[in-house]
Amino acid sequence: MINYNFKSEILKADKFDIKINGIQLIENDNNVEIRVDVFRSQPVFLYRDLNQNIYVFDSMDFFYSQDSFSKNIDEVGFWEIMLFGTSLWTRTLYVDLFQLPSASSLVINKKTKDFTIKRYWDFNVYINPDIKSLDIAAEKFNSYLDRISSNLDPNQNYCFGLSGGMDSRLTLAYLSKYIKPERLNIFTYANSNKSLEYILSKEICKRLNLNEPSFHSLTGNSYKEALNYMPKKSGGQIGINHCHIIDFLSKQDLGDLTHISTYFSDAIFGFESEIGLDLNDKMYNPYISKLNNSPFISDEIKKQIADDSNFITKDYDLNSNISSLKEYIYVSERNQKFHNYLFSIQKEFTKKGCSFYHDYDLFVYSLSIPIEFRNQKKIEYYILEKYYRKISASLIGDISSIYFRSSNNFDSFVDVIKFKFLNRINALLRILTRGYFQVENNYQTEELERNLYKYFKTDLIKAFMVFYDMGIFKKKHTFFKKLPIKSNGVNERYRIISLATLFRGI
């Protein structure tokens, strides 16, 4: 028996179309085939019970609502989430629960109930030899972004999260061409209204002749309240430290507003694209590297994680225009499992959602642009300079991670020194005051480290004991219940706290 439970609309098709986002299904007398798009804009899960009944669904709410479903933890999936933020390939946090990766196909034999999951597209796109200059690349890129924004309904009302970074300001520039200011409800989130995120966002809106963004304050309660929804809705794969937009959406009367997301823009613009790599650099696997630096994990579990990692990366073609294995993971696995999955959850908190960069033609085109033009998002900075110079980095500044990574920019060097100096002072103050006092750092959007000390110290110890009692954590893992002095290790602590909510009482 095959049972379906889909919250989202599915397309029953005669032929699959790679350009259509969402879930597509083809059925014949022998098999059922279900495909998710290349962005995995809507997740799909499969559970098989002891009686070989198959359940296919798109929301973890359904999984948790079924008392008959085993909720036994998959230790390999647990450690993948702990190390990488999400589990790899088809694995999840639970035994007998599978997820479909991006651009994958699930085929179920209706008679035997056997199933296979495999990729129908390998993401290997090759260089376009006609793109001989950055200007040529930008001109075509501009036409794609213009087409996407012009296809939005101008009579609809929208809400849009704006930061001081490049992606959201560029997206807003295109939106402002076709959507009237009164139909654009713009917001910015941060821990303080003195944040550079908010200061730059106001300047961007001013220069685009748009209404000033509303400010949403991130507090300790934002993360505390996320414990009530994020772990279950993500199946433990997204921590409460990523609740920002949902915290805003859940506290607004949005009416008929459509939430526009910029997720996947980093993959489109070349965040992980690098030039000048030798063969070793191109084949560097961040999963294996982190695994090798994790002596606290047993060899047996390490082997299974390595197998999952190798399966994900086996189709990477060195001759493709994807600069490295690291970028291949970023555009085919990491973004879909984290950003796009998070957006599918965010859509549950508003009536409508639109992901601006989930466009197959744009994605393929972006991957065909010579790496020298995509390197460190060079194409994005150029587009802003050429078409929207009034909000470019050169005129109003930049606080994106690319900016802070720059080694040939004096202003960025000075800002990095300031940022690190303030962080070190606050690291000391966190220990001395348990997070109750910190120096304001307007470079920092969130205060994850401070909130961990101030609000979650006891929760972390309790969460650790949940997995210690289950036998997942052992004495060699006791460092996980300690608060980290620096930012390194903070995400893992939030993951432990998030995951433990799913197993308390077991």
Side-chain angles (χ1 to χ4, degrees):
M1 181 178 178
I2 304 174
N3 305 273
Y4 302 108
N5 190 287
F6 291 107
K7 281 187 175 181
S8 57
E9 185 177 347
I10 64 170
L11 175 64
K12 294 184 177 180
D14 295 322
K15 184 179 179 181
F16 290 116
D17 187 341
I18 197 171
K19 296 184 180 183
I20 293 178
N21 291 337
I23 304 167
Q24 299 182 60
L25 181 150
I26 290 179
E27 185 172 1
N28 58 39
D29 292 339
N30 299 315
N31 300 311
V32 173
E33 184 173 2
I34 295 171
R35 289 192 179 187
V36 298
D37 57 70
V38 299
F39 308 103
R40 208 181 88 142
S41 56
Q42 192 63 35
V44 174
F45 303 95
L46 178 146
Y47 179 81
R48 181 164 57 184
D49 67 17
L50 294 176
N51 296 317
Q52 302 302 299
N53 293 315
I54 297 285
Y55 298 83
V56 185
F57 47 95
D58 61 353
S59 171
M60 286 299 295
D61 288 341
F62 175 76
F63 176 77
Y64 290 113
S65 72
Q66 302 300 301
D67 293 335
S68 63
F69 286 9
S70 166
K71 307 298 190 302
N72 293 330
I73 193 169
D74 180 342
E75 288 194 44
V76 177
F78 171 86
W79 282 112
E80 288 178 350
I81 292 170
M82 282 294 298
L83 293 178
F84 316 127
T86 61
S87 51
L88 306 184
W89 189 235
T90 62
R91 197 182 295 276
T92 67
L93 181 62
Y94 299 97
V95 176
D96 298 323
L97 177 68
F98 304 85
Q99 62 179 321
L100 268 67
S102 58
S104 69
S105 169
L106 165 68
V107 178
I108 307 171
N109 184 296
K110 294 167 76 172
K111 183 178 181 180
T112 65
K113 303 302 183 295
D114 291 330
F115 67 88
T116 59
I117 298 173
K118 61 182 180 180
R119 280 234 162 96
Y120 58 80
W121 187 58
D122 62 12
F123 291 85
N124 290 305
V125 175
Y126 301 88
I127 192 169
N128 184 340
D130 296 329
I131 304 175
K132 300 184 183 300
S133 71
L134 189 54
D135 195 65
I136 291 173
E139 184 177 350
K140 186 67 178 292
F141 217 124
N142 172 63
S143 68
Y144 276 112
L145 297 178
D146 202 66
R147 185 255 302 162
I148 292 169
S149 51
S150 66
N151 284 339
L152 293 170
D153 183 355
N155 299 313
Q156 178 61 261
N157 295 315
Y158 299 92
C159 70
F160 181 78
L162 175 66
S163 73
M166 296 293 104
D167 297 1
S168 62
R169 77 170 72 173
L170 179 63
T171 310
L172 184 60
Y174 282 95
L175 294 176
S176 67
K177 287 181 64 177
Y178 297 99
I179 309 298
K180 293 179 180 179
E182 61 268 23
R183 292 193 175 277
L184 277 173
N185 293 267
I186 303 163
F187 68 94
T188 299
Y189 62 77
N191 65 82
S192 167
N193 59 11
K194 295 179 182 178
S195 166
L196 287 176
E197 294 274 2
Y198 187 45
I199 293 169
L200 273 176
S201 293
K202 288 191 289 184
E203 183 63 23
I204 291 163
C205 287
K206 180 181 177 181
R207 292 184 176 227
L208 291 175
N209 298 314
L210 298 171
N211 296 326
E212 187 173 290
S214 62
F215 177 76
H216 180 70
S217 178
L218 296 173
T219 68
N221 282 334
S222 300
Y223 304 99
K224 283 280 189 181
E225 291 167 6
L227 284 169
N228 297 320
Y229 59 82
M230 190 67 84
K232 275 198 169 184
K233 287 192 176 296
S234 71
Q237 298 200 66
I238 301 177
I240 59 172
N241 48 318
H242 302 293
C243 69
H244 322 112
I245 289 179
I246 294 178
D247 190 57
F248 168 79
L249 295 174
S250 64
K251 293 173 181 174
Q252 311 298 315
D253 181 11
L254 296 173
D256 65 346
L257 265 64
T258 296
H259 170 223
I260 296 181
S261 170
T262 62
Y263 288 156
F264 209 70
S265 56
D266 275 340
I268 293 284
F269 287 115
F271 180 78
E272 286 290 358
S273 183
E274 295 185 76
I275 56 174
L277 300 178
D278 61 25
L279 182 60
N280 287 334
D281 290 334
K282 287 178 74 71
M283 294 307 295
Y284 167 79
N285 188 326
Y287 293 140
I288 300 299
S289 176
K290 192 150 192 177
L291 201 57
N292 290 338
N293 288 306
S294 302
F296 48 84
I297 299 177
S298 71
D299 290 341
E300 180 185 352
I301 289 178
K302 276 188 176 183
K303 182 182 182 307
Q304 293 183 69
I305 294 175
D307 288 345
D308 287 350
S309 168
N310 291 331
F311 196 86
I312 286 172
T313 57
K314 66 180 177 62
D315 292 327
Y316 171 55
D317 184 352
L318 271 168
N319 296 313
S320 76
N321 199 43
I322 297 176
S323 64
S324 65
L325 194 61
K326 187 177 179 182
E327 185 183 10
Y328 183 81
I329 290 169
Y330 193 72
V331 303
S332 66
E333 171 81 7
R334 175 61 181 159
N335 268 268
Q336 289 87 341
K337 290 280 186 68
F338 174 54
H339 285 120
N340 296 351
Y341 190 14
L342 181 56
F343 179 61
S344 71
I345 296 171
Q346 290 169 358
K347 287 191 291 185
E348 297 184 32
F349 291 83
T350 182
K351 290 183 179 178
K352 299 176 184 177
C354 168
S355 191
F356 192 86
Y357 291 94
H358 288 188
D359 185 280
Y360 176 79
D361 289 331
L362 170 64
F363 184 32
V364 172
Y365 172 73
S366 73
L367 292 178
S368 75
I369 296 172
I371 295 170
E372 64 193 274
F373 304 145
R374 284 192 293 121
N375 173 54
Q376 300 295 283
K377 302 175 78 170
K378 186 176 182 180
I379 180 72
E380 182 175 36
Y381 283 83
Y382 186 85
I383 291 171
L384 271 165
E385 283 287 345
K386 181 175 182 178
Y387 297 102
Y388 302 100
R389 190 167 189 273
K390 60 186 175 183
I391 60 167
S392 66
S394 63
L395 285 189
I396 66 170
D398 181 14
I399 55 171
S400 66
S401 55
I402 292 289
Y403 169 76
F404 280 98
R405 275 201 254 171
S406 175
S407 60
N408 56 1
N409 183 316
F410 179 75
D411 289 336
S412 69
F413 174 77
V414 172
D415 286 335
V416 168
I417 295 299
K418 289 180 182 177
F419 179 74
K420 288 185 175 180
F421 176 70
L422 289 171
N423 275 351
R424 286 176 181 175
I425 290 176
N426 284 332
L428 178 62
L429 289 173
R430 276 196 300 275
I431 298 171
L432 296 177
T433 70
R434 296 183 181 180
Y436 279 88
F437 179 76
Q438 290 216 198
V439 177
E440 182 118 30
N441 184 350
N442 62 357
Y443 293 93
Q444 200 165 32
T445 306
E446 313 164 65
E447 292 184 320
L448 292 176
E449 297 91 341
R450 181 186 189 181
N451 287 322
L452 194 60
Y453 271 74
K454 189 175 181 180
Y455 299 107
F456 291 101
K457 182 177 181 179
T458 301
D459 295 82
L460 178 60
I461 295 171
K462 290 179 179 177
F464 176 87
M465 290 308 300
V466 168
F467 296 112
Y468 185 83
D469 292 341
M470 292 173 66
I472 306 294
F473 283 152
K474 299 176 173 61
K475 287 185 179 180
K476 63 182 177 180
H477 301 123
T478 53
F479 66 91
F480 276 124
K481 68 178 178 181
K482 298 176 183 178
L483 294 170
I485 296 175
K486 297 182 180 180
S487 59
N488 187 31
V490 167
N491 286 332
E492 286 85 346
R493 271 52 173 197
Y494 277 108
R495 286 170 199 156
I496 294 168
I497 294 166
S498 302
L499 287 163
T501 64
L502 300 173
F503 295 98
R504 284 201 171 99
I506 293 179

